[in-house]
Amino acid sequence: MSFMTRKRVHAWLGGGATVAVVVTALTSTAQADTRGLSARVSADCTNGKLQVILSNRSDAEHTFKVAGPEDGTTASRTLAAGDATTLEWTRDQGSAYTIKATTDSGFSKSESGELGCGLGANQPGMNTTELFSTKTRFKGLVDENGQEYTGTAKSVRIPSMAVTNNGTVLAATDARVESSGDLGGDNNIQIGLRRSTDQGKTWSDPTIAAHGENNSIGTADSSLLVDRQTNRVFLFYNEAKEGVGYWTPEEGSGSNDKDDPKSIHVKYVTSDDNGASWSEPRDLNPDVKDPKWKGLFASSGHGIQTSGGRLIQPLVYRSDAGGNAVNIYSDDNGKTWKTGSTAGSGFNEHKAIERGNGDIEQNMRSDTESKRYYAESKDGSSEFSEPWASSLIDPKVNADEISYLQPDAEGVDPSTKAPRRTGTALFSNPASTSAREDLTVRLSEDDGRSYPDSALLRTGEAGYSTMAVLDDGSVGNLYERGNDGGIYFSRFTLDWLRGS
Protein backbone atom coordinates (compact mmCIF):
# COMPACT_ATOMS: atom_id res chain seq x y z
CA MET A 1 0.00 0.00 0.00
CA SER A 2 1.21 3.50 -0.80
CA PHE A 3 1.74 5.99 1.99
CA MET A 4 -0.13 9.29 1.72
CA THR A 5 1.67 12.58 1.18
CA ARG A 6 0.65 14.27 4.44
CA LYS A 7 3.65 14.49 6.78
CA ARG A 8 3.73 15.68 10.36
CA VAL A 9 6.73 15.64 12.68
CA HIS A 10 5.96 16.57 16.29
CA ALA A 11 8.60 17.65 18.80
CA TRP A 12 7.87 17.09 22.49
CA LEU A 13 9.77 18.66 25.33
CA GLY A 14 13.42 19.65 25.43
CA GLY A 15 16.25 19.09 27.83
CA GLY A 16 17.99 15.98 28.98
CA ALA A 17 15.68 14.61 31.63
CA THR A 18 15.10 10.92 32.10
CA VAL A 19 12.64 9.65 29.50
CA ALA A 20 9.93 7.05 29.21
CA VAL A 21 8.63 5.87 25.83
CA VAL A 22 6.59 2.86 24.47
CA VAL A 23 6.06 1.00 21.11
CA THR A 24 5.60 -2.44 19.04
CA ALA A 25 4.97 -6.09 20.01
CA LEU A 26 1.36 -6.59 19.03
CA THR A 27 -0.77 -7.46 22.02
CA SER A 28 -4.03 -7.14 20.17
CA THR A 29 -7.29 -8.84 20.93
CA ALA A 30 -8.46 -8.35 17.34
CA GLN A 31 -5.73 -9.42 14.92
CA ALA A 32 -7.55 -8.17 11.82
CA ASP A 33 -8.00 -4.71 13.32
CA THR A 34 -4.32 -4.26 14.17
CA ARG A 35 -2.80 -5.57 10.96
CA GLY A 36 -0.79 -2.83 9.24
CA LEU A 37 -0.34 -0.69 12.36
CA SER A 38 3.12 -0.15 13.78
CA ALA A 39 5.10 2.03 16.17
CA ARG A 40 8.87 1.71 16.26
CA VAL A 41 11.46 3.43 18.43
CA SER A 42 14.63 4.84 16.87
CA ALA A 43 17.46 7.23 17.73
CA ASP A 44 18.55 10.36 15.86
CA CYS A 45 22.25 10.26 16.73
CA THR A 46 23.12 13.57 15.07
CA ASN A 47 20.57 15.68 16.92
CA GLY A 48 20.23 13.67 20.14
CA LYS A 49 16.59 12.71 19.78
CA LEU A 50 14.47 9.74 20.66
CA GLN A 51 11.91 9.05 17.94
CA VAL A 52 8.78 6.98 17.51
CA ILE A 53 7.66 6.31 13.93
CA LEU A 54 3.90 5.69 13.74
CA SER A 55 2.52 4.03 10.62
CA ASN A 56 -0.99 3.11 9.52
CA ARG A 57 -0.77 0.76 6.54
CA SER A 58 -4.31 -0.50 7.09
CA ASP A 59 -7.32 0.38 4.94
CA ALA A 60 -9.00 2.54 7.58
CA GLU A 61 -8.28 5.60 9.71
CA HIS A 62 -6.90 4.90 13.20
CA THR A 63 -5.97 7.00 16.22
CA PHE A 64 -2.69 6.33 18.03
CA LYS A 65 -2.26 7.29 21.68
CA VAL A 66 1.35 7.45 22.85
CA ALA A 67 2.26 7.65 26.53
CA GLY A 68 5.58 9.25 27.42
CA PRO A 69 8.14 10.48 27.86
CA GLU A 70 7.13 11.68 31.32
CA ASP A 71 4.36 10.64 33.70
CA GLY A 72 1.06 12.12 32.62
CA THR A 73 2.33 13.09 29.16
CA THR A 74 0.38 11.65 26.26
CA ALA A 75 -0.18 12.44 22.62
CA SER A 76 -2.97 11.47 20.27
CA ARG A 77 -2.43 11.26 16.51
CA THR A 78 -5.13 10.28 14.04
CA LEU A 79 -3.64 8.78 10.87
CA ALA A 80 -5.57 8.22 7.68
CA ALA A 81 -5.17 4.93 5.85
CA GLY A 82 -1.62 4.81 4.50
CA ASP A 83 -0.43 7.77 6.57
CA ALA A 84 2.59 7.98 8.86
CA THR A 85 4.18 10.44 11.26
CA THR A 86 7.18 10.77 13.59
CA LEU A 87 7.17 11.85 17.22
CA GLU A 88 10.47 12.94 18.73
CA TRP A 89 12.01 14.10 21.99
CA THR A 90 15.34 15.81 22.58
CA ARG A 91 17.26 13.69 25.09
CA ASP A 92 20.81 12.94 26.24
CA GLN A 93 22.61 9.73 25.35
CA GLY A 94 21.99 7.17 28.07
CA SER A 95 18.62 8.61 29.09
CA ALA A 96 16.15 5.92 30.13
CA TYR A 97 12.93 5.66 28.15
CA THR A 98 9.64 3.84 28.32
CA ILE A 99 7.01 4.39 25.65
CA LYS A 100 3.61 2.87 25.10
CA ALA A 101 1.54 3.21 21.94
CA THR A 102 -2.03 1.99 21.59
CA THR A 103 -4.79 2.49 19.04
CA ASP A 104 -8.56 2.53 18.98
CA SER A 105 -8.51 -0.92 17.35
CA GLY A 106 -6.57 -2.84 20.00
CA PHE A 107 -2.99 -2.40 18.80
CA SER A 108 -0.57 -2.11 21.72
CA LYS A 109 3.20 -1.86 21.93
CA SER A 110 5.52 -0.87 24.73
CA GLU A 111 9.29 -0.57 24.88
CA SER A 112 11.81 0.46 27.49
CA GLY A 113 15.53 1.06 27.32
CA GLU A 114 18.24 3.69 27.17
CA LEU A 115 18.77 6.14 24.34
CA GLY A 116 21.89 5.03 22.50
CA CYS A 117 23.34 4.44 19.05
CA GLY A 118 24.89 1.00 19.43
CA LEU A 119 21.91 -1.28 18.70
CA GLY A 120 22.54 -2.98 22.03
CA ALA A 121 19.94 -5.15 23.73
CA ASN A 122 18.70 -2.19 25.77
CA GLN A 123 18.88 0.41 22.98
CA PRO A 124 16.58 1.35 20.08
CA GLY A 125 16.81 -1.12 17.19
CA MET A 126 17.41 1.61 14.61
CA ASN A 127 19.51 4.75 14.62
CA THR A 128 20.34 7.48 12.11
CA THR A 129 23.38 9.70 11.58
CA GLU A 130 23.89 12.54 9.13
CA LEU A 131 26.99 11.75 7.02
CA PHE A 132 27.04 14.46 4.35
CA SER A 133 25.39 17.89 4.17
CA THR A 134 25.84 21.28 2.51
CA LYS A 135 28.02 22.17 5.50
CA THR A 136 30.31 19.17 5.11
CA ARG A 137 33.90 20.17 4.36
CA PHE A 138 35.48 17.81 1.83
CA LYS A 139 39.25 17.52 1.74
CA GLY A 140 40.67 17.12 -1.77
CA LEU A 141 38.20 19.04 -3.94
CA VAL A 142 39.83 20.43 -7.10
CA ASP A 143 39.36 23.93 -8.53
CA GLU A 144 39.44 25.25 -12.12
CA ASN A 145 43.22 24.76 -12.22
CA GLY A 146 43.15 21.26 -10.79
CA GLN A 147 44.52 22.43 -7.44
CA GLU A 148 43.22 20.68 -4.34
CA TYR A 149 41.42 22.53 -1.55
CA THR A 150 39.03 21.86 1.33
CA GLY A 151 35.51 23.17 0.86
CA THR A 152 31.77 22.55 0.81
CA ALA A 153 29.20 21.60 -1.84
CA LYS A 154 25.84 23.23 -2.51
CA SER A 155 24.25 19.78 -2.85
CA VAL A 156 25.11 16.24 -1.78
CA ARG A 157 23.25 13.51 -3.63
CA ILE A 158 23.49 9.94 -4.96
CA PRO A 159 24.57 7.58 -2.15
CA SER A 160 26.69 4.47 -2.65
CA MET A 161 27.84 2.00 -0.01
CA ALA A 162 29.70 -1.26 0.55
CA VAL A 163 31.29 -3.21 3.40
CA THR A 164 34.77 -4.68 2.94
CA ASN A 165 35.95 -8.08 4.12
CA ASN A 166 37.28 -6.67 7.40
CA GLY A 167 33.98 -4.90 8.15
CA THR A 168 34.93 -1.38 7.05
CA VAL A 169 31.85 0.51 5.89
CA LEU A 170 32.42 2.76 2.86
CA ALA A 171 29.88 5.51 2.14
CA ALA A 172 30.16 7.77 -0.91
CA THR A 173 28.19 10.66 -2.38
CA ASP A 174 28.22 13.24 -5.15
CA ALA A 175 29.68 16.49 -3.85
CA ARG A 176 27.79 18.75 -6.28
CA VAL A 177 29.85 21.83 -5.64
CA GLU A 178 27.94 24.57 -7.48
CA SER A 179 24.42 23.21 -8.00
CA SER A 180 22.23 20.14 -7.54
CA GLY A 181 22.14 19.29 -11.25
CA ASP A 182 23.26 16.05 -12.92
CA LEU A 183 26.14 15.66 -15.35
CA GLY A 184 25.30 17.63 -18.48
CA GLY A 185 24.29 20.73 -16.55
CA ASP A 186 26.84 22.03 -14.10
CA ASN A 187 29.59 19.41 -14.20
CA ASN A 188 31.46 20.53 -11.06
CA ILE A 189 30.74 17.25 -9.30
CA GLN A 190 33.29 15.18 -7.35
CA ILE A 191 33.00 11.91 -5.39
CA GLY A 192 33.09 12.30 -1.59
CA LEU A 193 33.83 9.41 0.76
CA ARG A 194 33.72 8.52 4.46
CA ARG A 195 34.78 5.27 6.21
CA SER A 196 33.70 3.57 9.41
CA THR A 197 35.51 0.75 11.20
CA ASP A 198 32.94 0.32 14.00
CA GLN A 199 29.67 -0.52 12.17
CA GLY A 200 28.79 3.12 11.53
CA LYS A 201 29.14 4.45 15.08
CA THR A 202 31.96 6.82 14.07
CA TRP A 203 33.21 7.99 10.68
CA SER A 204 36.40 9.34 9.13
CA ASP A 205 36.61 12.91 7.91
CA PRO A 206 35.11 13.45 4.42
CA THR A 207 37.58 13.23 1.55
CA ILE A 208 37.37 13.24 -2.25
CA ALA A 209 37.98 9.78 -3.71
CA ALA A 210 37.59 10.66 -7.41
CA HIS A 211 37.64 13.89 -9.44
CA GLY A 212 38.45 15.11 -12.93
CA GLU A 213 41.53 17.03 -14.01
CA ASN A 214 39.73 20.21 -12.98
CA ASN A 215 36.27 21.24 -11.83
CA SER A 216 34.82 21.45 -15.35
CA ILE A 217 35.21 17.68 -15.73
CA GLY A 218 32.57 16.06 -13.57
CA THR A 219 32.68 12.72 -11.72
CA ALA A 220 29.32 11.49 -10.46
CA ASP A 221 26.95 8.61 -9.65
CA SER A 222 29.35 6.38 -7.72
CA SER A 223 28.83 2.65 -7.24
CA LEU A 224 30.87 0.47 -4.88
CA LEU A 225 31.65 -3.21 -5.40
CA VAL A 226 33.78 -5.50 -3.19
CA ASP A 227 35.50 -8.57 -4.62
CA ARG A 228 35.29 -10.99 -1.67
CA GLN A 229 37.96 -13.22 -3.21
CA THR A 230 40.63 -10.51 -3.33
CA ASN A 231 39.20 -7.84 -0.97
CA ARG A 232 39.71 -5.32 -3.77
CA VAL A 233 37.14 -2.53 -3.76
CA PHE A 234 35.94 -1.06 -7.07
CA LEU A 235 34.55 2.48 -7.07
CA PHE A 236 32.72 3.02 -10.36
CA TYR A 237 31.67 6.50 -11.46
CA ASN A 238 30.74 8.51 -14.54
CA GLU A 239 33.05 11.20 -15.88
CA ALA A 240 32.11 13.85 -18.44
CA LYS A 241 33.38 17.11 -19.81
CA GLU A 242 31.35 20.29 -19.36
CA GLY A 243 27.98 20.13 -21.12
CA VAL A 244 28.04 16.36 -21.60
CA GLY A 245 25.47 14.16 -19.89
CA TYR A 246 23.14 11.20 -20.42
CA TRP A 247 20.83 13.27 -22.62
CA THR A 248 23.53 15.26 -24.46
CA PRO A 249 24.48 15.36 -27.19
CA GLU A 250 21.15 14.26 -28.62
CA GLU A 251 22.70 12.37 -31.54
CA GLY A 252 24.94 10.34 -29.25
CA SER A 253 28.68 10.12 -28.81
CA GLY A 254 29.32 8.13 -31.98
CA SER A 255 32.48 6.60 -30.52
CA ASN A 256 33.59 4.31 -27.74
CA ASP A 257 37.12 5.70 -27.69
CA LYS A 258 38.56 6.65 -24.31
CA ASP A 259 39.31 10.15 -25.65
CA ASP A 260 35.82 10.76 -27.03
CA PRO A 261 34.83 14.23 -25.66
CA LYS A 262 31.13 13.83 -26.47
CA SER A 263 30.34 10.92 -24.19
CA ILE A 264 30.04 10.11 -20.54
CA HIS A 265 32.90 7.77 -19.65
CA VAL A 266 32.37 4.91 -17.22
CA LYS A 267 35.48 4.71 -15.06
CA TYR A 268 36.60 3.10 -11.85
CA VAL A 269 39.32 3.34 -9.23
CA THR A 270 40.31 0.52 -6.90
CA SER A 271 41.43 0.18 -3.31
CA ASP A 272 43.36 -2.68 -1.70
CA ASP A 273 43.39 -1.15 1.80
CA ASN A 274 39.66 -0.99 2.59
CA GLY A 275 39.14 2.42 1.01
CA ALA A 276 42.00 4.27 2.70
CA SER A 277 43.65 5.01 -0.67
CA TRP A 278 42.69 4.65 -4.31
CA SER A 279 44.37 3.79 -7.61
CA GLU A 280 44.56 5.83 -10.78
CA PRO A 281 41.31 5.62 -12.80
CA ARG A 282 40.61 3.15 -15.58
CA ASP A 283 38.31 4.07 -18.48
CA LEU A 284 35.97 1.22 -19.45
CA ASN A 285 34.32 2.78 -22.50
CA PRO A 286 36.61 1.03 -25.03
CA ASP A 287 35.74 -2.32 -23.43
CA VAL A 288 32.02 -2.04 -22.65
CA LYS A 289 30.44 0.79 -24.68
CA ASP A 290 28.66 0.15 -27.96
CA PRO A 291 29.26 3.12 -30.31
CA LYS A 292 25.60 2.95 -31.37
CA TRP A 293 24.48 3.95 -27.87
CA LYS A 294 23.36 7.57 -27.59
CA GLY A 295 24.29 7.92 -23.95
CA LEU A 296 25.29 5.78 -20.98
CA PHE A 297 26.05 5.85 -17.29
CA ALA A 298 26.96 3.45 -14.49
CA SER A 299 23.97 2.93 -12.21
CA SER A 300 24.75 4.29 -8.74
CA GLY A 301 24.68 2.47 -5.39
CA HIS A 302 26.56 -0.82 -5.65
CA GLY A 303 27.35 -3.79 -7.83
CA ILE A 304 27.40 -7.42 -6.70
CA GLN A 305 29.61 -10.48 -6.70
CA THR A 306 27.82 -13.75 -7.44
CA SER A 307 28.32 -17.11 -5.73
CA GLY A 308 30.42 -18.10 -8.75
CA GLY A 309 32.76 -15.15 -8.23
CA ARG A 310 31.49 -13.04 -11.13
CA LEU A 311 31.56 -9.27 -10.61
CA ILE A 312 28.51 -7.40 -11.93
CA GLN A 313 28.01 -3.65 -12.28
CA PRO A 314 24.71 -2.33 -13.74
CA LEU A 315 24.75 0.25 -16.55
CA VAL A 316 22.05 2.24 -18.34
CA TYR A 317 22.31 3.20 -22.00
CA ARG A 318 20.09 5.35 -24.20
CA SER A 319 18.75 4.27 -27.58
CA ASP A 320 15.81 5.18 -29.81
CA ALA A 321 13.73 2.86 -27.58
CA GLY A 322 14.58 4.95 -24.50
CA GLY A 323 16.57 3.82 -21.47
CA ASN A 324 17.97 0.30 -21.39
CA ALA A 325 19.21 -1.80 -18.48
CA VAL A 326 22.38 -3.83 -18.97
CA ASN A 327 25.18 -5.29 -16.85
CA ILE A 328 28.90 -5.22 -17.36
CA TYR A 329 30.68 -8.17 -15.81
CA SER A 330 34.08 -9.66 -15.06
CA ASP A 331 34.99 -13.32 -14.53
CA ASP A 332 38.65 -12.66 -13.71
CA ASN A 333 38.38 -10.43 -10.62
CA GLY A 334 38.22 -7.22 -12.61
CA LYS A 335 41.09 -7.70 -15.04
CA THR A 336 38.72 -7.62 -18.02
CA TRP A 337 35.12 -6.44 -18.40
CA LYS A 338 32.41 -7.32 -20.91
CA THR A 339 28.86 -6.18 -21.63
CA GLY A 340 25.94 -8.59 -21.25
CA SER A 341 22.53 -8.79 -22.89
CA THR A 342 20.00 -6.00 -22.41
CA ALA A 343 17.61 -6.73 -19.54
CA GLY A 344 14.88 -4.46 -20.88
CA SER A 345 14.01 -1.15 -22.57
CA GLY A 346 12.14 1.72 -20.94
CA PHE A 347 14.17 1.58 -17.75
CA ASN A 348 16.62 3.69 -15.79
CA GLU A 349 18.76 2.82 -12.75
CA HIS A 350 18.64 -0.80 -11.66
CA LYS A 351 20.21 -3.34 -9.32
CA ALA A 352 21.28 -6.95 -9.79
CA ILE A 353 20.49 -9.56 -7.13
CA GLU A 354 21.34 -13.27 -7.03
CA ARG A 355 18.46 -15.52 -6.03
CA GLY A 356 18.75 -18.71 -4.02
CA ASN A 357 18.94 -20.85 -7.15
CA GLY A 358 21.78 -18.79 -8.65
CA ASP A 359 19.67 -16.87 -11.18
CA ILE A 360 20.30 -13.13 -11.47
CA GLU A 361 17.35 -10.75 -11.41
CA GLN A 362 17.41 -7.06 -12.26
CA ASN A 363 15.22 -4.82 -10.09
CA MET A 364 14.56 -1.89 -12.43
CA ARG A 365 13.25 1.68 -12.24
CA SER A 366 10.67 2.34 -14.94
CA ASP A 367 10.91 5.42 -17.12
CA THR A 368 7.13 5.78 -17.21
CA GLU A 369 5.38 3.72 -14.51
CA SER A 370 5.19 3.98 -10.72
CA LYS A 371 6.17 0.38 -10.08
CA ARG A 372 9.32 -1.75 -10.06
CA TYR A 373 10.05 -4.17 -12.87
CA TYR A 374 12.11 -7.37 -12.91
CA ALA A 375 13.91 -9.35 -15.60
CA GLU A 376 15.76 -12.63 -15.06
CA SER A 377 18.90 -14.21 -16.48
CA LYS A 378 20.82 -17.35 -15.60
CA ASP A 379 24.04 -15.41 -15.02
CA GLY A 380 23.36 -11.67 -15.36
CA SER A 381 24.79 -11.51 -18.88
CA SER A 382 23.04 -14.07 -21.10
CA GLU A 383 19.55 -13.52 -22.51
CA PHE A 384 17.05 -12.06 -20.03
CA SER A 385 13.41 -12.95 -19.70
CA GLU A 386 10.72 -10.52 -20.76
CA PRO A 387 10.46 -7.85 -18.01
CA TRP A 388 7.50 -8.18 -15.66
CA ALA A 389 5.85 -5.68 -13.33
CA SER A 390 6.11 -6.37 -9.61
CA SER A 391 3.76 -5.31 -6.81
CA LEU A 392 6.43 -2.94 -5.43
CA ILE A 393 5.31 0.67 -5.88
CA ASP A 394 7.88 3.31 -6.76
CA PRO A 395 7.91 7.06 -7.53
CA LYS A 396 10.53 6.56 -10.32
CA VAL A 397 13.64 6.61 -8.16
CA ASN A 398 16.87 4.67 -7.76
CA ALA A 399 15.90 2.01 -5.21
CA ASP A 400 17.86 -0.96 -3.89
CA GLU A 401 17.52 -4.69 -3.39
CA ILE A 402 20.22 -6.78 -1.70
CA SER A 403 20.78 -10.32 -0.50
CA TYR A 404 21.08 -10.61 3.26
CA LEU A 405 24.68 -11.86 3.47
CA GLN A 406 27.28 -10.75 5.99
CA PRO A 407 30.77 -9.90 4.65
CA ASP A 408 32.42 -12.66 6.71
CA ALA A 409 32.19 -16.40 7.29
CA GLU A 410 28.42 -16.08 7.76
CA GLY A 411 27.96 -14.87 4.20
CA VAL A 412 31.04 -16.13 2.33
CA ASP A 413 31.71 -19.69 1.19
CA PRO A 414 35.14 -20.66 2.63
CA SER A 415 35.97 -22.93 -0.31
CA THR A 416 35.35 -20.34 -3.05
CA LYS A 417 35.70 -17.13 -0.97
CA ALA A 418 32.66 -15.90 -2.91
CA PRO A 419 29.26 -14.94 -1.44
CA ARG A 420 26.90 -17.72 -0.50
CA ARG A 421 23.39 -17.99 -1.94
CA THR A 422 20.37 -17.03 0.12
CA GLY A 423 16.63 -16.61 -0.24
CA THR A 424 16.57 -13.66 2.15
CA ALA A 425 16.43 -10.22 0.53
CA LEU A 426 15.82 -6.60 1.50
CA PHE A 427 14.23 -3.89 -0.65
CA SER A 428 14.46 -0.13 0.00
CA ASN A 429 12.67 2.79 -1.63
CA PRO A 430 10.29 5.69 -0.93
CA ALA A 431 7.02 3.75 -0.72
CA SER A 432 4.88 6.03 -2.84
CA THR A 433 3.54 6.20 -6.37
CA SER A 434 3.96 9.95 -6.70
CA ALA A 435 6.38 11.59 -4.26
CA ARG A 436 9.86 10.78 -3.04
CA GLU A 437 8.98 10.33 0.59
CA ASP A 438 8.44 7.70 3.29
CA LEU A 439 11.64 5.68 2.98
CA THR A 440 10.63 2.06 3.59
CA VAL A 441 12.62 -1.16 3.91
CA ARG A 442 10.94 -4.51 3.18
CA LEU A 443 12.12 -8.01 4.10
CA SER A 444 11.59 -11.14 2.01
CA GLU A 445 12.50 -14.63 3.15
CA ASP A 446 11.15 -16.42 0.08
CA ASP A 447 13.55 -15.21 -2.63
CA GLY A 448 11.73 -11.95 -3.29
CA ARG A 449 8.34 -13.49 -4.04
CA SER A 450 6.75 -11.60 -1.15
CA TYR A 451 7.73 -8.91 1.36
CA PRO A 452 5.51 -9.45 4.42
CA ASP A 453 7.68 -7.44 6.84
CA SER A 454 8.40 -3.75 6.34
CA ALA A 455 9.34 -0.67 8.34
CA LEU A 456 9.57 3.05 7.79
CA LEU A 457 13.06 4.47 8.25
CA ARG A 458 12.02 8.03 7.49
CA THR A 459 8.72 9.89 7.18
CA GLY A 460 8.88 12.86 4.86
CA GLU A 461 11.22 13.63 1.99
CA ALA A 462 13.57 10.79 0.96
CA GLY A 463 15.11 9.89 -2.40
CA TYR A 464 17.81 7.52 -3.60
CA SER A 465 18.86 4.80 -1.15
CA THR A 466 21.36 1.96 -1.00
CA MET A 467 21.96 -0.82 1.54
CA ALA A 468 24.64 -3.15 2.86
CA VAL A 469 24.82 -5.89 5.50
CA LEU A 470 27.34 -5.10 8.23
CA ASP A 471 29.63 -7.67 9.79
CA ASP A 472 27.57 -7.81 13.00
CA GLY A 473 24.44 -8.77 11.05
CA SER A 474 22.78 -5.36 11.22
CA VAL A 475 21.80 -3.55 8.01
CA GLY A 476 22.96 -0.14 6.89
CA ASN A 477 20.84 2.12 4.68
CA LEU A 478 22.41 5.23 3.12
CA TYR A 479 19.86 7.62 1.67
CA GLU A 480 19.29 11.17 0.52
CA ARG A 481 16.77 13.74 1.74
CA GLY A 482 16.18 15.75 -1.41
CA ASN A 483 18.66 17.89 -3.36
CA ASP A 484 20.00 19.78 -0.35
CA GLY A 485 18.69 17.86 2.68
CA GLY A 486 21.79 15.74 3.16
CA ILE A 487 22.84 12.09 3.06
CA TYR A 488 21.95 9.97 6.11
CA PHE A 489 23.08 6.57 7.38
CA SER A 490 20.50 4.45 9.19
CA ARG A 491 21.44 1.20 10.88
CA PHE A 492 18.89 -1.34 12.08
CA THR A 493 18.40 -4.95 13.11
CA LEU A 494 16.14 -7.45 11.41
CA ASP A 495 14.19 -7.81 14.64
CA TRP A 496 13.47 -4.07 14.58
CA LEU A 497 12.30 -4.36 10.98
CA ARG A 498 10.03 -7.27 11.86
CA GLY A 499 8.64 -5.25 14.75
CA SER A 500 9.86 -7.61 17.47
Side-chain angles (χ1 to χ4, degrees):
M1 175 179 291
S2 157
F3 292 102
M4 307 291 262
T5 59
R6 298 186 298 279
K7 289 291 150 294
R8 301 180 293 278
V9 177
H10 303 279
W12 286 358
L13 308 172
T18 298
V19 188
V21 194
V22 185
V23 203
T24 310
L26 295 180
T27 59
S28 77
T29 56
Q31 179 66 30
D33 290 339
T34 62
R35 189 174 300 133
L37 305 179
S38 69
R40 289 181 172 88
V41 177
S42 64
D44 178 343
C45 299
T46 298
N47 299 305
K49 293 183 177 182
L50 181 71
Q51 298 177 321
V52 176
I53 302 172
L54 304 176
S55 177
N56 176 13
R57 294 188 299 274
S58 74
D59 294 324
E61 179 182 278
H62 289 286
T63 298
F64 286 80
K65 291 184 178 180
V66 181
E70 297 175 343
D71 291 343
T73 303
T74 59
S76 178
R77 300 289 181 264
T78 299
L79 301 181
D83 207 353
T85 192
T86 300
L87 309 178
E88 54 186 28
W89 303 261
T90 300
R91 287 295 181 271
D92 294 333
Q93 287 284 317
S95 297
Y97 70 84
T98 301
I99 291 184
K100 184 168 185 178
T102 58
T103 69
D104 52 0
S105 60
F107 170 88
S108 178
K109 176 181 179 177
S110 41
E111 179 176 320
S112 298
E114 293 183 356
L115 180 60
C117 294
L119 298 188
N122 201 37
Q123 297 176 335
M126 193 271 276
N127 59 64
T128 300
T129 303
E130 182 184 71
L131 283 196
F132 302 101
S133 74
T134 55
K135 296 180 180 179
T136 298
R137 294 185 64 79
F138 294 94
K139 181 180 180 181
L141 289 166
V142 296
D143 62 17
E144 64 273 14
N145 299 313
Q147 298 298 308
E148 292 190 356
Y149 70 99
T150 299
T152 60
K154 290 187 177 179
S155 175
V156 287
R157 283 207 59 206
I158 319 298
S160 66
M161 183 167 57
V163 180
T164 68
N165 287 2
N166 77 344
T168 299
V169 186
L170 304 178
T173 185
D174 281 10
R176 300 190 169 189
V177 179
E178 296 179 16
S179 75
S180 62
D182 298 332
L183 288 177
D186 184 345
N187 277 25
N188 188 358
I189 306 174
Q190 304 173 43
I191 304 297
L193 180 78
R194 298 186 74 175
R195 304 166 66 245
S196 174
T197 57
D198 56 8
Q199 292 88 37
K201 299 183 188 72
T202 61
W203 294 84
S204 65
D205 292 336
T207 59
I208 296 298
H211 58 71
E213 292 180 16
N214 55 57
N215 63 11
S216 68
I217 300 174
T219 54
D221 307 297
S222 62
S223 178
L224 286 158
L225 170 57
V226 178
D227 185 339
R228 299 287 174 214
Q229 296 176 321
T230 66
N231 197 36
R232 172 163 286 183
V233 183
F234 295 81
L235 172 59
F236 293 88
Y237 60 91
N238 304 302
E239 182 176 290
K241 296 183 182 297
E242 192 169 8
V244 175
Y246 177 61
W247 296 102
T248 57
E250 177 61 30
E251 69 277 8
S253 65
S255 167
N256 63 347
D257 189 87
K258 66 179 181 179
D259 296 320
D260 178 12
K262 294 184 178 181
S263 179
I264 285 179
H265 289 256
V266 175
K267 294 188 174 185
Y268 70 76
V269 292
T270 62
S271 175
D272 294 318
D273 56 9
N274 301 294
S277 63
W278 298 90
S279 70
E280 291 298 311
R282 175 181 172 183
D283 193 327
L284 283 178
N285 275 29
D287 302 313
V288 303
K289 180 181 177 297
D290 188 323
K292 296 190 295 292
W293 294 350
K294 292 189 173 184
L296 81 160
F297 65 90
S299 186
S300 64
H302 63 80
I304 67 167
Q305 185 172 38
T306 70
S307 58
R310 170 172 283 188
L311 302 175
I312 293 177
Q313 167 59 42
L315 258 63
V316 179
Y317 72 88
R318 184 166 59 88
S319 67
D320 290 338
N324 301 268
V326 68
N327 291 325
I328 62 172
Y329 65 95
S330 174
D331 290 323
D332 54 14
N333 302 104
K335 295 182 180 67
T336 61
W337 293 85
K338 299 177 182 179
T339 304
S341 299
T342 299
S345 298
F347 301 107
N348 203 285
E349 294 119 336
H350 55 111
K351 295 294 193 301
I353 182 168
E354 183 174 21
R355 296 303 185 194
N357 64 357
D359 288 348
I360 306 298
E361 288 186 0
Q362 303 299 126
N363 183 319
M364 301 180 291
R365 167 187 172 181
S366 172
D367 281 339
T368 58
E369 297 183 67
S370 297
K371 62 183 72 172
R372 305 298 295 185
Y373 272 77
Y374 283 99
E376 185 176 82
S377 167
K378 286 298 181 184
D379 54 12
S381 63
S382 57
E383 184 177 358
F384 278 84
S385 67
E386 187 72 20
W388 72 90
S390 76
S391 61
L392 297 169
I393 60 173
D394 188 65
K396 303 188 194 70
V397 71
N398 191 9
D400 195 15
E401 185 172 3
I402 64 170
S403 297
Y404 181 77
L405 292 169
Q406 293 175 217
D408 54 20
E410 294 293 325
V412 177
D413 188 319
S415 62
T416 64
K417 295 185 179 180
R420 299 178 187 270
R421 296 179 183 177
T422 179
T424 302
L426 293 147
F427 175 72
S428 169
N429 80 332
S432 170
T433 58
S434 57
R436 293 182 176 182
E437 60 188 12
D438 286 341
L439 182 67
T440 302
V441 175
R442 303 178 188 276
L443 175 65
S444 172
E445 297 181 89
D446 59 4
D447 246 358
R449 288 186 288 273
S450 65
Y451 286 86
D453 294 306
S454 65
L456 271 167
L457 264 64
R458 153 90 176 162
T459 57
E461 189 173 29
Y464 285 24
S465 63
T466 187
M467 294 183 290
V469 182
L470 281 58
D471 64 356
D472 65 351
S474 63
V475 179
N477 190 305
L478 190 69
Y479 67 94
E480 59 184 20
R481 296 184 182 180
N483 290 340
D484 54 12
I487 301 287
Y488 287 76
F489 174 80
S490 288
R491 180 175 168 232
F492 58 90
T493 66
L494 292 191
D495 281 345
W496 180 88
L497 192 156
R498 293 185 182 106
S500 59

